[in-house]
Amino acid sequence: MHTGFSPGRRLTLAAVMIAVAGLLSAPLIADEGMWLFNAPPRKALQQQYQFTPTPEWLDHLQRSSVRFVTDGGSGSFVSADGLILTNQHIGFGEAQALSGEGHDYARNGFYARTRSDEKPCPGMEVNVLVSTEDVTERVNAALPAELSPERASAARRQVIAAIEKESLAQTGLRSNVVPLYQGGAYQLYRYNRYTDVRLVFIPEAQAASFGGDTDNFEYPRYALDICFFRAYENGEPARLEHYLAVDPRGTNENDLVFVSGHPAITQREFTWAQVVDYRDHLLPHWLDLLCRVEVPLSVYSGRGAEPARQARDLLLDIQNSRKLVGGQLAGLLDPSLLHGLQSREQAFQAMLGNEARFTDAHAAYKRIREAQDRISQNQVTYDLIEGSSWRPPYAFKGRLFQIARTLVRAAAEQSKPDGERLPEYQDAHRASLELDLFSDAPIYDEFESMLLTDSLTYLAGSLGAGEPLVASVLGGKSPAERAAELVHGSRLRDMAERRRLYDAGGAALASSPDPLVALAQLVDPAARQARKVNDDQEEVLRQAHAALAQARFALRGLELYPDATSTLRLAYGTVSGYEEQGRPVPAFTDLQGLYDRAAQHRDQPPFDLAPRWAERRGHLDLKTPFDFVCTADITGGNSGSPVVSRAGELVGLIFDGNLQSLVTDYAYTERQARAVAVDVRAVLEALPQVYDAGPLAEELLGHTGTASR
């Protein structure tokens, strides 16, 4: 069974690029694609827009783009002094962590008038991609065809760990091996890490998310969803060669624009069986989970201003995810879209014919269907007790349990050879793990108790209170009693205790009286087993998709761009409105529209004006463009991505997609799908006129003076 490319005819990604240089043989829609920076769509851009990005243009944009590791978003450097621009909803959690009962930065905003006022953000990490290297041959060479999925998964983990560890030792850069084409190729990404990151400016929540959940994933929009941080090195602002200059003229309708960011995960290479499983099982399951969590968060928020502040970040995240998953499900229930996906697969299978060289590709469809079925059967248990890096276990929500699990697993994993550890505990990832573990972001006992009470209730309701693991977890108590016992009895909010347990390892954990440590130890065997089932089947999927990728390469060259993998990509499109229900939707909104929309809703939440915006209306040029839409191909993770012109200058900032764009995780369409951005002209107007932040606007324009220092 082939794992990737067959020995003797294995193609590296570089070789494939050379073989298909300039060839666009797949039937793409005009502006489709989340492109690798080392494989940009030069010919398509030249044919469609008479523009060819130079290597220097691409390198500058790459090195100006940043990834927010903790919050999973994107951003860009916008001054020589390490100033970073991203979204308010990316910075919201940091503002929340810096807040207290007397100062709610997440709700009311913050501006550091001097460099000394800029607030360090504990546990925050931003990365800049420095280089990439094709390591496909080395990964595949470690995976003989006769290996079982379990042994192949272990071998793949070992070789990737070795590559990452070697790269870290040689370069000092964060090093991650990234699978592309669902495992058809592998690249090593090396990043510069910035861990001293400080909050400079964040607007009040009402200005950044005007319209609230009602307008989320909608358009027209009137949101100033911006936030500024600054990266520091050795206690001083980072001095940068690469950052984006701002074009104060902005952009115009029909202009070509580019988006540089880190789209999270797409599934456009899924087979029909996988799409159907997501439509019929996984998406409905996740939607149910999200709706289930949203209710207690809303109830807790209703207890008062302080509980609402504590819950706001998670509640907004849950509401956003609920609407996202609901939109994806709605898209996959569209018969025309489904017909297109099924027809695409049938056409490709017909291209394979009966040639012997495509035997593995034909067999891959059955293997994928069977593996996907096993993943789906395991999903409820997996989501409840294991979770993932971006979706913590629903049965044990809260920061304290995650700390306990990290401590328990770190002790167990550090005793193993590096290549046999879970990836997040390998040496190459240690710095980021420790940065998160020892973050001194505040922990609120009552909030933790509420989350854990609801989580344990859901666990009992899902698996049954009499199930042995559930009974052991509850320990003869109600979920509320057990949660209170766990939270109030734990010492893990104490940084010194965390450090002691982490440094001492297994012996200290075995004798620790901390109830959350004991709970993490109790659950760990079952959680690891759920993860193993998932990992083994994911290995089957990787092997099968690699066989399909090999066949596509042989028939049509490179499939142009791989699915998104939370790594840096380049998208492009035009600033363009669209039509919805027979009505034209303009490409731009303006500041006047904000006041009109508030008036239409009688200034009632969520369409109430932020006080500053009401007071400063007379100071503003209301014809200033506010938000705009373009056809660039984006998805989750692109939040905060810069929108740049042909000249590579900043003209906007991605903060959302419209409802019609949600299904593009599975298939791109440009008829109505749009990326939504803040216009840079609104930023330059609002900073001095609404927020008295003229020095920040001057720094954006490259006119930094002593006033901002």
Side-chain angles (χ1 to χ4, degrees):
M1 203 165 288
H2 295 297
T3 56
F5 301 110
S6 301
R9 54 192 178 93
R10 183 180 292 135
L11 297 174
T12 66
L13 184 59
V16 175
M17 290 177 190
I18 293 170
V20 299
L23 179 63
L24 296 175
S25 55
L28 291 184
I29 298 172
D31 296 333
E32 179 180 350
M34 301 173 186
W35 301 83
L36 301 171
F37 266 67
N38 57 0
R42 288 189 175 91
K43 186 173 182 180
L45 284 168
Q46 184 60 42
Q47 288 178 338
Q48 292 172 238
Y49 299 110
Q50 295 74 57
F51 176 79
T52 301
T54 65
E56 294 77 16
W57 189 97
L58 291 164
D59 183 64
H60 177 68
L61 182 55
Q62 173 183 312
R63 290 173 181 263
S64 299
S65 302
V66 307
R67 174 177 72 166
F68 285 82
V69 177
T70 310
D71 298 287
S74 301
S76 57
F77 285 121
V78 289
S79 88
D81 287 346
L83 191 65
I84 299 170
L85 175 61
T86 187
N87 291 144
Q88 185 266 3
H89 73 264
I90 298 298
F92 188 92
E94 306 304 326
Q96 181 91 331
L98 293 169
S99 299
E101 292 192 40
H103 48 280
D104 189 345
Y105 300 134
R107 178 182 177 85
N108 301 321
F110 170 79
Y111 172 45
R113 298 191 179 278
T114 67
R115 296 279 170 88
S116 61
D117 294 329
E118 295 175 358
K119 294 190 174 294
C121 300
M124 192 173 194
E125 178 181 340
V126 298
N127 292 168
V128 176
L129 181 62
V130 175
S131 66
T132 60
E133 178 184 341
D134 179 24
V135 293
T136 305
E137 284 192 341
R138 182 172 174 186
V139 172
N140 284 338
L143 303 170
E146 67 275 7
L147 291 182
S148 67
E150 181 178 358
R151 292 180 62 197
S153 181
R156 191 186 305 272
R157 183 184 300 171
Q158 288 176 355
V159 68
I160 287 174
I163 293 169
E164 292 177 341
K165 187 173 183 177
E166 288 170 14
S167 175
L168 176 63
Q170 291 167 3
T171 67
L173 299 173
R174 175 174 180 149
S175 301
N176 299 134
V177 172
V178 178
L180 301 173
Y181 305 98
Q182 302 284 353
Y186 292 84
Q187 284 193 359
L188 171 63
Y189 282 59
R190 296 187 179 98
Y191 298 93
N192 234 337
R193 299 174 66 237
Y194 294 90
T195 56
D196 183 355
V197 184
R198 307 183 191 183
L199 179 65
V200 176
F201 172 87
I202 190 167
E204 62 275 77
Q206 188 52 28
S209 57
F210 179 82
D213 188 48
T214 305
D215 269 7
N216 190 21
F217 296 120
E218 300 286 354
Y219 195 76
R221 295 290 293 275
Y222 306 90
L224 191 76
D225 196 348
I226 65 170
C227 180
F228 290 92
F229 293 95
R230 194 181 306 279
Y232 279 71
E233 291 183 299
N234 302 316
E236 297 291 332
R239 296 295 300 165
L240 303 173
E241 176 185 356
H242 295 283
Y243 61 91
L244 297 179
V246 170
D247 185 348
R249 300 168 299 177
T251 189
N252 298 298
E253 191 153 14
N254 299 319
D255 279 356
L256 172 65
V257 292
F258 296 86
V259 174
S260 173
H262 301 80
I265 301 294
T266 57
Q267 293 88 18
R268 296 180 189 175
E269 294 166 30
F270 268 12
T271 65
W272 173 248
Q274 289 177 289
V275 170
V276 169
D277 188 49
Y278 268 62
R279 181 197 65 187
D280 294 346
H281 300 111
L282 298 186
L283 289 175
H285 162 62
W286 289 327
L287 186 59
D288 178 65
L289 280 176
L290 292 164
C291 292
R292 174 71 174 72
V293 174
E294 185 177 354
V295 173
L297 282 170
S298 298
V299 172
Y300 183 81
S301 297
R303 294 182 184 178
E306 178 57 19
R309 186 190 69 79
Q310 295 171 9
R312 193 181 302 131
D313 188 27
L314 182 56
L315 178 58
L316 291 174
D317 181 60
I318 293 295
Q319 289 175 332
N320 185 73
S321 298
R322 180 254 302 156
K323 201 164 186 179
L324 171 65
V325 172
Q328 291 177 342
L329 180 58
L332 291 186
L333 291 171
D334 179 350
S336 62
L337 184 140
L338 289 171
H339 176 71
L341 291 175
Q342 190 172 27
S343 297
R344 181 187 67 181
E345 180 168 301
Q346 291 171 344
F348 181 65
Q349 288 178 313
M351 289 177 67
L352 296 176
N354 296 316
E355 294 186 53
R357 61 177 176 150
F358 296 138
T359 299
D360 286 349
H362 281 297
Y365 287 101
K366 180 181 178 182
R367 297 176 62 209
I368 289 171
R369 184 176 64 252
E370 292 173 346
Q372 190 65 46
D373 284 345
R374 294 188 183 101
I375 288 174
S376 191
Q377 292 161 10
N378 184 56
Q379 196 69 45
V380 171
T381 301
Y382 180 82
D383 285 339
L384 279 170
I385 64 176
E386 173 60 20
S388 64
S389 59
W390 61 90
R391 196 169 55 243
Y394 282 94
F396 308 105
K397 281 194 168 292
R399 172 74 175 144
L400 285 173
F401 179 82
Q402 291 309 305
I403 291 169
R405 168 169 282 181
T406 300
L407 290 169
V408 167
R409 287 195 169 171
E413 296 299 307
Q414 294 303 330
S415 65
K416 303 175 183 177
D418 190 52
E420 296 178 13
R421 300 174 193 164
L422 296 175
E424 59 269 32
Y425 296 93
Q426 291 167 353
D427 288 344
H429 305 155
R430 184 193 297 269
S432 295
L433 181 141
E434 292 179 351
L435 184 69
D436 180 63
L437 177 61
F438 299 118
S439 165
D440 59 2
I443 295 172
Y444 306 102
D445 285 358
E446 293 309 309
F447 186 49
E448 292 279 316
S449 294
M450 179 276 295
L451 289 173
L452 198 49
T453 296
D454 183 67
S455 298
L456 296 177
T457 302
Y458 189 67
L459 174 67
S462 298
L463 301 184
E467 197 273 338
L469 179 62
V470 177
S472 297
V473 166
L474 293 176
K477 297 179 175 65
S478 71
E481 291 173 323
R482 181 63 168 142
E485 175 184 73
L486 290 164
V487 171
H488 295 293
S490 178
R491 293 182 56 200
L492 295 182
R493 64 186 59 75
D494 180 353
M495 190 69 70
E497 178 66 4
R498 260 184 254 177
R499 174 63 70 179
R500 184 185 74 82
L501 291 172
Y502 182 74
D503 290 343
L509 286 162
S511 61
S512 172
D514 194 290
L516 276 168
V517 170
L519 177 63
Q521 291 172 324
L522 170 68
V523 173
D524 203 48
R528 284 178 180 267
Q529 178 57 33
R531 179 168 177 163
K532 181 181 180 303
V533 170
N534 194 76
D535 287 352
D536 287 351
Q537 298 312 310
E538 288 288 349
E539 177 63 31
V540 175
L541 293 179
R542 276 190 292 268
Q543 293 181 19
H545 273 289
L548 292 177
Q550 183 178 359
R552 282 194 292 267
F553 294 161
L555 286 170
R556 302 189 303 199
L558 195 65
E559 246 335 73
L560 299 179
Y561 66 94
D563 264 325
T565 53
S566 299
T567 51
L568 189 64
R569 300 296 179 88
L570 180 70
Y572 68 91
T574 57
V575 178
S576 175
Y578 57 101
E579 189 174 282
E580 185 174 21
Q581 296 179 349
R583 300 189 306 271
V585 180
F588 290 89
T589 62
D590 58 25
L591 297 188
Q592 179 65 57
L594 168 70
Y595 294 97
D596 292 344
R597 189 149 172 80
Q600 290 167 2
H601 292 270
R602 301 183 179 181
D603 207 36
Q604 295 299 303
F607 298 100
D608 50 323
L609 289 170
R612 279 181 173 270
W613 284 82
E615 294 165 5
R616 300 295 181 93
R617 176 172 180 168
H619 296 251
L620 293 165
D621 177 359
L622 298 181
K623 295 180 181 179
T624 302
F626 201 161
D627 296 332
F628 67 88
V629 289
C630 65
T631 60
D633 192 359
I634 67 159
T635 189
N638 272 117
S639 289
S641 297
V643 184
V644 303
S645 64
R646 291 172 183 250
E649 295 179 330
L650 186 75
V651 296
L653 175 72
I654 295 294
F655 72 94
D656 207 354
N658 62 2
L659 274 175
Q660 294 90 336
S661 73
L662 298 182
V663 77
T664 58
D665 276 11
Y666 303 91
Y668 176 79
T669 169
E670 71 169 23
R671 188 173 67 88
Q672 291 182 312
R674 294 293 184 274
V676 186
V678 182
D679 195 299
V680 73
R681 289 168 288 190
V683 179
L684 295 174
E685 182 75 5
L687 287 176
Q689 303 302 336
V690 178
Y691 297 101
D692 298 324
L696 186 55
E698 291 298 310
E699 184 173 357
L700 273 179
L701 292 170
H703 305 152
T704 305
T706 57
S708 64
R709 296 182 184 277

